[in-house]
Amino acid sequence: MPRDWDAFYRESEGEKAPAFSVRAYGPLVPPGPILDLAGGLGRNARYFLQRGHPVVLVERSLEALKRLRGIPNLALVELDLEDPKAPTHLPQGPFAGILMSYYVNRPLLKALPPLVAPGGLLLVEGFSRREALRRNRPQSPFYWEPYELLTPPPGLLLRAFGEGWMEGYRVFAVYGNPRP
């Protein structure tokens, strides 16, 4: 059963800290626009906005988008990333940084390399299969498999990887587009 994201965001209060990979590797993103996929209430977008990057935030929740309206340098795109045609409807790149934080969509991940600017970074972070087991969701596809993120999407290089912190429940990868 899909989560009611509008209800979730209606009940959410306060700003949360950016994801670990954003805090740790965000300073390495070169100047330029950022694409925040499934950006929710903008915790990662706000990090980059504070550093002078324009941000395009993609989200399907109308409630989240409503709460983010009017923030300077933040462009909002309503798009259901679960739609198989979603990769063809993504904003045009290139982007200095692309964020895929706590959202798992393997086909989308493979479609992102052409949107990453030369020298740009793709930051991915989420829950591991161990978290799925802890939550009693062993068959759920919305968790990263062990070492899965060690293999970069075609055209990108692995720059950093971590798995197993917070008692083994988190994983991240940083992929870079090598300069031509």
mmCIF file of all heavy atoms in Angstrom, residues 68-108:
data_model
loop_
_atom_site.group_PDB
_atom_site.id
_atom_site.type_symbol
_atom_site.label_atom_id
_atom_site.label_comp_id
_atom_site.label_asym_id
_atom_site.label_seq_id
_atom_site.Cartn_x
_atom_site.Cartn_y
_atom_site.Cartn_z
ATOM 1 N N LEU A 68 6.453 24.563 0.084
ATOM 2 C CA LEU A 68 7.734 25.092 -0.397
ATOM 3 C C LEU A 68 7.588 26.301 -1.321
ATOM 4 O O LEU A 68 8.589 26.947 -1.642
ATOM 5 C CB LEU A 68 8.494 23.985 -1.141
ATOM 6 C CG LEU A 68 8.976 22.829 -0.278
ATOM 7 C CD1 LEU A 68 9.464 21.680 -1.151
ATOM 8 C CD2 LEU A 68 10.054 23.286 0.683
ATOM 9 N N ARG A 69 6.372 26.594 -1.740
ATOM 10 C CA ARG A 69 6.160 27.716 -2.669
ATOM 11 C C ARG A 69 6.720 29.022 -2.110
ATOM 12 O O ARG A 69 6.623 29.293 -0.923
ATOM 13 C CB ARG A 69 4.672 27.901 -2.944
ATOM 14 C CG ARG A 69 4.186 27.029 -4.043
ATOM 15 C CD ARG A 69 2.801 27.428 -4.513
ATOM 16 N NE ARG A 69 2.168 26.212 -4.990
ATOM 17 C CZ ARG A 69 1.065 25.687 -4.501
ATOM 18 N NH1 ARG A 69 0.422 26.275 -3.532
ATOM 19 N NH2 ARG A 69 0.581 24.576 -4.987
ATOM 20 N N GLY A 70 7.315 29.776 -3.027
ATOM 21 C CA GLY A 70 7.778 31.111 -2.670
ATOM 22 C C GLY A 70 9.197 31.184 -2.155
ATOM 23 O O GLY A 70 9.683 32.279 -1.865
ATOM 24 N N ILE A 71 9.885 30.061 -2.043
ATOM 25 C CA ILE A 71 11.280 30.100 -1.586
ATOM 26 C C ILE A 71 12.148 30.561 -2.760
ATOM 27 O O ILE A 71 12.110 29.962 -3.837
ATOM 28 C CB ILE A 71 11.742 28.723 -1.062
ATOM 29 C CG1 ILE A 71 10.926 28.330 0.180
ATOM 30 C CG2 ILE A 71 13.236 28.734 -0.767
ATOM 31 C CD1 ILE A 71 11.234 26.950 0.711
ATOM 32 N N PRO A 72 12.914 31.627 -2.573
ATOM 33 C CA PRO A 72 13.746 32.140 -3.668
ATOM 34 C C PRO A 72 14.730 31.088 -4.191
ATOM 35 O O PRO A 72 15.311 30.317 -3.429
ATOM 36 C CB PRO A 72 14.499 33.313 -3.020
ATOM 37 C CG PRO A 72 13.671 33.700 -1.846
ATOM 38 C CD PRO A 72 13.022 32.436 -1.357
ATOM 39 N N ASN A 73 14.901 31.073 -5.492
ATOM 40 C CA ASN A 73 15.837 30.190 -6.207
ATOM 41 C C ASN A 73 15.472 28.713 -6.119
ATOM 42 O O ASN A 73 16.311 27.856 -6.403
ATOM 43 C CB ASN A 73 17.275 30.408 -5.740
ATOM 44 C CG ASN A 73 17.764 31.788 -6.083
ATOM 45 O OD1 ASN A 73 17.559 32.268 -7.197
ATOM 46 N ND2 ASN A 73 18.382 32.454 -5.120
ATOM 47 N N LEU A 74 14.246 28.415 -5.705
ATOM 48 C CA LEU A 74 13.769 27.032 -5.652
ATOM 49 C C LEU A 74 12.650 26.866 -6.669
ATOM 50 O O LEU A 74 11.573 27.450 -6.527
ATOM 51 C CB LEU A 74 13.262 26.675 -4.251
ATOM 52 C CG LEU A 74 12.705 25.262 -4.078
ATOM 53 C CD1 LEU A 74 13.787 24.216 -4.332
ATOM 54 C CD2 LEU A 74 12.108 25.092 -2.683
ATOM 55 N N ALA A 75 12.922 26.084 -7.710
ATOM 56 C CA ALA A 75 11.911 25.755 -8.716
ATOM 57 C C ALA A 75 11.280 24.427 -8.324
ATOM 58 O O ALA A 75 11.983 23.485 -7.937
ATOM 59 C CB ALA A 75 12.548 25.648 -10.098
ATOM 60 N N LEU A 76 9.971 24.362 -8.410
ATOM 61 C CA LEU A 76 9.237 23.166 -7.998
ATOM 62 C C LEU A 76 8.638 22.469 -9.214
ATOM 63 O O LEU A 76 8.052 23.131 -10.085
ATOM 64 C CB LEU A 76 8.125 23.544 -7.019
ATOM 65 C CG LEU A 76 8.589 24.278 -5.765
ATOM 66 C CD1 LEU A 76 7.392 24.749 -4.962
ATOM 67 C CD2 LEU A 76 9.493 23.388 -4.925
ATOM 68 N N VAL A 77 8.772 21.148 -9.254
ATOM 69 C CA VAL A 77 8.224 20.344 -10.340
ATOM 70 C C VAL A 77 7.390 19.234 -9.734
ATOM 71 O O VAL A 77 7.899 18.415 -8.955
ATOM 72 C CB VAL A 77 9.348 19.739 -11.218
ATOM 73 C CG1 VAL A 77 8.770 18.817 -12.285
ATOM 74 C CG2 VAL A 77 10.197 20.842 -11.845
ATOM 75 N N GLU A 78 6.117 19.200 -10.085
ATOM 76 C CA GLU A 78 5.247 18.106 -9.651
ATOM 77 C C GLU A 78 5.413 16.953 -10.634
ATOM 78 O O GLU A 78 5.137 17.088 -11.822
ATOM 79 C CB GLU A 78 3.789 18.556 -9.628
ATOM 80 C CG GLU A 78 2.853 17.443 -9.210
ATOM 81 C CD GLU A 78 1.387 17.780 -9.440
ATOM 82 O OE1 GLU A 78 1.054 18.944 -9.685
ATOM 83 O OE2 GLU A 78 0.574 16.831 -9.380
ATOM 84 N N LEU A 79 5.881 15.822 -10.125
ATOM 85 C CA LEU A 79 6.102 14.654 -10.975
ATOM 86 C C LEU A 79 6.113 13.406 -10.107
ATOM 87 O O LEU A 79 6.789 13.365 -9.081
ATOM 88 C CB LEU A 79 7.440 14.786 -11.718
ATOM 89 C CG LEU A 79 7.841 13.649 -12.653
ATOM 90 C CD1 LEU A 79 6.841 13.488 -13.794
ATOM 91 C CD2 LEU A 79 9.241 13.888 -13.202
ATOM 92 N N ASP A 80 5.374 12.401 -10.522
ATOM 93 C CA ASP A 80 5.382 11.104 -9.847
ATOM 94 C C ASP A 80 6.539 10.293 -10.414
ATOM 95 O O ASP A 80 6.466 9.809 -11.544
ATOM 96 C CB ASP A 80 4.053 10.386 -10.063
ATOM 97 C CG ASP A 80 3.991 9.036 -9.373
ATOM 98 O OD1 ASP A 80 5.002 8.618 -8.756
ATOM 99 O OD2 ASP A 80 2.937 8.394 -9.440
ATOM 100 N N LEU A 81 7.606 10.177 -9.661
ATOM 101 C CA LEU A 81 8.805 9.480 -10.133
ATOM 102 C C LEU A 81 8.597 7.976 -10.271
ATOM 103 O O LEU A 81 9.442 7.292 -10.846
ATOM 104 C CB LEU A 81 9.984 9.783 -9.200
ATOM 105 C CG LEU A 81 10.432 11.240 -9.227
ATOM 106 C CD1 LEU A 81 11.425 11.507 -8.108
ATOM 107 C CD2 LEU A 81 11.018 11.613 -10.572
ATOM 108 N N GLU A 82 7.486 7.460 -9.758
ATOM 109 C CA GLU A 82 7.164 6.039 -9.916
ATOM 110 C C GLU A 82 6.581 5.745 -11.296
ATOM 111 O O GLU A 82 6.518 4.591 -11.710
ATOM 112 C CB GLU A 82 6.180 5.594 -8.834
ATOM 113 C CG GLU A 82 6.718 5.702 -7.423
ATOM 114 C CD GLU A 82 7.926 4.835 -7.177
ATOM 115 O OE1 GLU A 82 7.907 3.643 -7.536
ATOM 116 O OE2 GLU A 82 8.913 5.348 -6.620
ATOM 117 N N ASP A 83 6.136 6.767 -12.002
ATOM 118 C CA ASP A 83 5.613 6.594 -13.355
ATOM 119 C C ASP A 83 6.763 6.129 -14.252
ATOM 120 O O ASP A 83 7.831 6.758 -14.256
ATOM 121 C CB ASP A 83 5.046 7.923 -13.859
ATOM 122 C CG ASP A 83 4.414 7.827 -15.235
ATOM 123 O OD1 ASP A 83 4.868 7.025 -16.071
ATOM 124 O OD2 ASP A 83 3.459 8.581 -15.481
ATOM 125 N N PRO A 84 6.582 5.039 -15.009
ATOM 126 C CA PRO A 84 7.673 4.557 -15.866
ATOM 127 C C PRO A 84 8.178 5.597 -16.870
ATOM 128 O O PRO A 84 9.316 5.524 -17.316
ATOM 129 C CB PRO A 84 7.056 3.360 -16.594
ATOM 130 C CG PRO A 84 5.915 2.933 -15.750
ATOM 131 C CD PRO A 84 5.411 4.171 -15.052
ATOM 132 N N LYS A 85 7.356 6.579 -17.202
ATOM 133 C CA LYS A 85 7.773 7.630 -18.143
ATOM 134 C C LYS A 85 8.455 8.805 -17.442
ATOM 135 O O LYS A 85 8.879 9.748 -18.098
ATOM 136 C CB LYS A 85 6.560 8.137 -18.923
ATOM 137 C CG LYS A 85 5.954 7.090 -19.820
ATOM 138 C CD LYS A 85 4.761 7.635 -20.563
ATOM 139 C CE LYS A 85 4.121 6.534 -21.396
ATOM 140 N NZ LYS A 85 2.914 6.995 -22.079
ATOM 141 N N ALA A 86 8.565 8.755 -16.137
ATOM 142 C CA ALA A 86 9.127 9.878 -15.373
ATOM 143 C C ALA A 86 10.506 10.311 -15.870
ATOM 144 O O ALA A 86 10.752 11.517 -15.984
ATOM 145 C CB ALA A 86 9.168 9.552 -13.882
ATOM 146 N N PRO A 87 11.434 9.382 -16.184
ATOM 147 C CA PRO A 87 12.753 9.857 -16.631
ATOM 148 C C PRO A 87 12.692 10.767 -17.859
ATOM 149 O O PRO A 87 13.527 11.653 -18.007
ATOM 150 C CB PRO A 87 13.516 8.566 -16.928
ATOM 151 C CG PRO A 87 12.898 7.561 -16.013
ATOM 152 C CD PRO A 87 11.425 7.927 -15.988
ATOM 153 N N THR A 88 11.689 10.576 -18.706
ATOM 154 C CA THR A 88 11.581 11.430 -19.893
ATOM 155 C C THR A 88 10.984 12.792 -19.556
ATOM 156 O O THR A 88 11.024 13.691 -20.386
ATOM 157 C CB THR A 88 10.741 10.747 -20.984
ATOM 158 O OG1 THR A 88 9.412 10.554 -20.505
ATOM 159 C CG2 THR A 88 11.343 9.417 -21.400
ATOM 160 N N HIS A 89 10.440 12.947 -18.369
ATOM 161 C CA HIS A 89 9.830 14.213 -17.958
ATOM 162 C C HIS A 89 10.667 14.977 -16.939
ATOM 163 O O HIS A 89 10.215 15.984 -16.401
ATOM 164 C CB HIS A 89 8.434 13.961 -17.376
ATOM 165 C CG HIS A 89 7.489 13.349 -18.349
ATOM 166 N ND1 HIS A 89 7.133 13.952 -19.534
ATOM 167 C CD2 HIS A 89 6.833 12.163 -18.338
ATOM 168 C CE1 HIS A 89 6.293 13.179 -20.198
ATOM 169 N NE2 HIS A 89 6.104 12.083 -19.497
ATOM 170 N N LEU A 90 11.864 14.499 -16.670
ATOM 171 C CA LEU A 90 12.733 15.202 -15.719
ATOM 172 C C LEU A 90 13.196 16.534 -16.300
ATOM 173 O O LEU A 90 13.324 16.673 -17.524
ATOM 174 C CB LEU A 90 13.956 14.351 -15.386
ATOM 175 C CG LEU A 90 13.710 13.138 -14.510
ATOM 176 C CD1 LEU A 90 14.981 12.300 -14.405
ATOM 177 C CD2 LEU A 90 13.224 13.543 -13.138
ATOM 178 N N PRO A 91 13.472 17.511 -15.446
ATOM 179 C CA PRO A 91 14.025 18.776 -15.935
ATOM 180 C C PRO A 91 15.343 18.522 -16.678
ATOM 181 O O PRO A 91 16.091 17.600 -16.346
ATOM 182 C CB PRO A 91 14.262 19.577 -14.659
ATOM 183 C CG PRO A 91 13.346 18.973 -13.647
ATOM 184 C CD PRO A 91 13.257 17.517 -14.003
ATOM 185 N N GLN A 92 15.587 19.351 -17.663
ATOM 186 C CA GLN A 92 16.799 19.203 -18.461
ATOM 187 C C GLN A 92 18.029 19.609 -17.663
ATOM 188 O O GLN A 92 17.995 20.569 -16.915
ATOM 189 C CB GLN A 92 16.710 20.054 -19.722
ATOM 190 C CG GLN A 92 15.630 19.594 -20.673
ATOM 191 C CD GLN A 92 15.883 18.185 -21.195
ATOM 192 O OE1 GLN A 92 16.955 17.898 -21.713
ATOM 193 N NE2 GLN A 92 14.908 17.313 -21.044
ATOM 194 N N GLY A 93 19.100 18.881 -17.825
ATOM 195 C CA GLY A 93 20.359 19.218 -17.199
ATOM 196 C C GLY A 93 21.139 20.156 -18.087
ATOM 197 O O GLY A 93 20.572 20.744 -19.000
ATOM 198 N N PRO A 94 22.395 20.294 -17.842
ATOM 199 C CA PRO A 94 23.119 19.541 -16.830
ATOM 200 C C PRO A 94 22.981 20.177 -15.449
ATOM 201 O O PRO A 94 22.742 21.368 -15.307
ATOM 202 C CB PRO A 94 24.566 19.599 -17.316
ATOM 203 C CG PRO A 94 24.649 20.891 -18.072
ATOM 204 C CD PRO A 94 23.280 21.108 -18.680
ATOM 205 N N PHE A 95 23.149 19.339 -14.431
ATOM 206 C CA PHE A 95 23.095 19.773 -13.042
ATOM 207 C C PHE A 95 24.451 19.535 -12.393
ATOM 208 O O PHE A 95 25.067 18.488 -12.592
ATOM 209 C CB PHE A 95 22.012 19.006 -12.281
ATOM 210 C CG PHE A 95 20.624 19.349 -12.730
ATOM 211 C CD1 PHE A 95 19.982 18.570 -13.672
ATOM 212 C CD2 PHE A 95 19.972 20.466 -12.234
ATOM 213 C CE1 PHE A 95 18.701 18.888 -14.113
ATOM 214 C CE2 PHE A 95 18.701 20.794 -12.662
ATOM 215 C CZ PHE A 95 18.065 20.008 -13.608
ATOM 216 N N ALA A 96 24.884 20.486 -11.587
ATOM 217 C CA ALA A 96 26.139 20.340 -10.850
ATOM 218 C C ALA A 96 26.020 19.235 -9.812
ATOM 219 O O ALA A 96 26.989 18.553 -9.487
ATOM 220 C CB ALA A 96 26.509 21.653 -10.178
ATOM 221 N N GLY A 97 24.808 19.055 -9.295
ATOM 222 C CA GLY A 97 24.554 18.001 -8.319
ATOM 223 C C GLY A 97 23.140 17.472 -8.468
ATOM 224 O O GLY A 97 22.222 18.228 -8.789
ATOM 225 N N ILE A 98 23.008 16.178 -8.271
ATOM 226 C CA ILE A 98 21.694 15.536 -8.258
ATOM 227 C C ILE A 98 21.594 14.757 -6.956
ATOM 228 O O ILE A 98 22.537 14.059 -6.571
ATOM 229 C CB ILE A 98 21.479 14.600 -9.468
ATOM 230 C CG1 ILE A 98 21.567 15.398 -10.772
ATOM 231 C CG2 ILE A 98 20.132 13.884 -9.361
ATOM 232 C CD1 ILE A 98 21.400 14.565 -12.026
ATOM 233 N N LEU A 99 20.440 14.885 -6.284
ATOM 234 C CA LEU A 99 20.217 14.230 -4.997
ATOM 235 C C LEU A 99 19.120 13.194 -5.129
ATOM 236 O O LEU A 99 18.055 13.477 -5.667
ATOM 237 C CB LEU A 99 19.789 15.256 -3.946
ATOM 238 C CG LEU A 99 20.565 16.565 -3.912
ATOM 239 C CD1 LEU A 99 19.907 17.541 -2.966
ATOM 240 C CD2 LEU A 99 22.002 16.310 -3.542
ATOM 241 N N MET A 100 19.379 12.022 -4.593
ATOM 242 C CA MET A 100 18.386 10.957 -4.518
ATOM 243 C C MET A 100 18.489 10.409 -3.095
ATOM 244 O O MET A 100 19.185 9.440 -2.838
ATOM 245 C CB MET A 100 18.675 9.887 -5.570
ATOM 246 C CG MET A 100 17.510 9.025 -5.918
ATOM 247 S SD MET A 100 17.849 8.180 -7.475
ATOM 248 C CE MET A 100 16.923 6.700 -7.179
ATOM 249 N N SER A 101 17.828 11.096 -2.182
ATOM 250 C CA SER A 101 17.983 10.821 -0.762
ATOM 251 C C SER A 101 16.753 10.116 -0.194
ATOM 252 O O SER A 101 15.647 10.657 -0.243
ATOM 253 C CB SER A 101 18.214 12.150 -0.036
ATOM 254 O OG SER A 101 18.308 11.961 1.345
ATOM 255 N N TYR A 102 16.980 8.932 0.337
ATOM 256 C CA TYR A 102 15.931 8.112 0.937
ATOM 257 C C TYR A 102 14.775 7.891 -0.029
ATOM 258 O O TYR A 102 13.609 7.953 0.331
ATOM 259 C CB TYR A 102 15.489 8.667 2.296
ATOM 260 C CG TYR A 102 16.617 8.491 3.278
ATOM 261 C CD1 TYR A 102 17.580 9.462 3.432
ATOM 262 C CD2 TYR A 102 16.758 7.303 3.979
ATOM 263 C CE1 TYR A 102 18.661 9.271 4.271
ATOM 264 C CE2 TYR A 102 17.830 7.101 4.829
ATOM 265 C CZ TYR A 102 18.780 8.089 4.965
ATOM 266 O OH TYR A 102 19.841 7.882 5.789
ATOM 267 N N TYR A 103 15.149 7.635 -1.257
ATOM 268 C CA TYR A 103 14.209 7.285 -2.313
ATOM 269 C C TYR A 103 14.926 6.281 -3.205
ATOM 270 O O TYR A 103 16.035 6.552 -3.685
ATOM 271 C CB TYR A 103 13.794 8.523 -3.113
ATOM 272 C CG TYR A 103 12.943 8.178 -4.301
ATOM 273 C CD1 TYR A 103 11.663 7.665 -4.120
ATOM 274 C CD2 TYR A 103 13.418 8.328 -5.592
ATOM 275 C CE1 TYR A 103 10.879 7.317 -5.205
ATOM 276 C CE2 TYR A 103 12.644 7.992 -6.672
ATOM 277 C CZ TYR A 103 11.380 7.494 -6.477
ATOM 278 O OH TYR A 103 10.607 7.130 -7.557
ATOM 279 N N VAL A 104 14.340 5.114 -3.402
ATOM 280 C CA VAL A 104 14.951 4.060 -4.208
ATOM 281 C C VAL A 104 14.145 3.892 -5.485
ATOM 282 O O VAL A 104 12.947 3.593 -5.437
ATOM 283 C CB VAL A 104 15.007 2.719 -3.437
ATOM 284 C CG1 VAL A 104 15.577 1.613 -4.317
ATOM 285 C CG2 VAL A 104 15.819 2.866 -2.158
ATOM 286 N N ASN A 105 14.804 4.117 -6.607
ATOM 287 C CA ASN A 105 14.197 3.913 -7.913
ATOM 288 C C ASN A 105 15.333 3.544 -8.859
ATOM 289 O O ASN A 105 16.020 4.426 -9.383
ATOM 290 C CB ASN A 105 13.460 5.170 -8.362
ATOM 291 C CG ASN A 105 12.716 4.987 -9.667
ATOM 292 O OD1 ASN A 105 13.205 4.337 -10.580
ATOM 293 N ND2 ASN A 105 11.541 5.588 -9.751
ATOM 294 N N ARG A 106 15.553 2.271 -9.035
ATOM 295 C CA ARG A 106 16.690 1.793 -9.813
ATOM 296 C C ARG A 106 16.648 2.227 -11.278
ATOM 297 O O ARG A 106 17.673 2.655 -11.816
ATOM 298 C CB ARG A 106 16.806 0.286 -9.658
ATOM 299 C CG ARG A 106 17.225 -0.099 -8.244
ATOM 300 C CD ARG A 106 17.020 -1.588 -7.943
ATOM 301 N NE ARG A 106 17.454 -1.893 -6.595
ATOM 302 C CZ ARG A 106 16.655 -1.800 -5.510
ATOM 303 N NH1 ARG A 106 15.392 -1.431 -5.641
ATOM 304 N NH2 ARG A 106 17.125 -2.089 -4.314
ATOM 305 N N PRO A 107 15.502 2.123 -11.967
ATOM 306 C CA PRO A 107 15.487 2.603 -13.364
ATOM 307 C C PRO A 107 15.791 4.100 -13.463
ATOM 308 O O PRO A 107 16.499 4.535 -14.377
ATOM 309 C CB PRO A 107 14.057 2.298 -13.838
ATOM 310 C CG PRO A 107 13.573 1.206 -12.945
ATOM 311 C CD PRO A 107 14.238 1.450 -11.618
ATOM 312 N N LEU A 108 15.281 4.877 -12.534
ATOM 313 C CA LEU A 108 15.559 6.306 -12.541
ATOM 314 C C LEU A 108 17.043 6.571 -12.320
ATOM 315 O O LEU A 108 17.649 7.406 -13.004
ATOM 316 C CB LEU A 108 14.724 7.011 -11.472
ATOM 317 C CG LEU A 108 14.898 8.519 -11.371
ATOM 318 C CD1 LEU A 108 14.445 9.215 -12.651
ATOM 319 C CD2 LEU A 108 14.132 9.058 -10.171
#
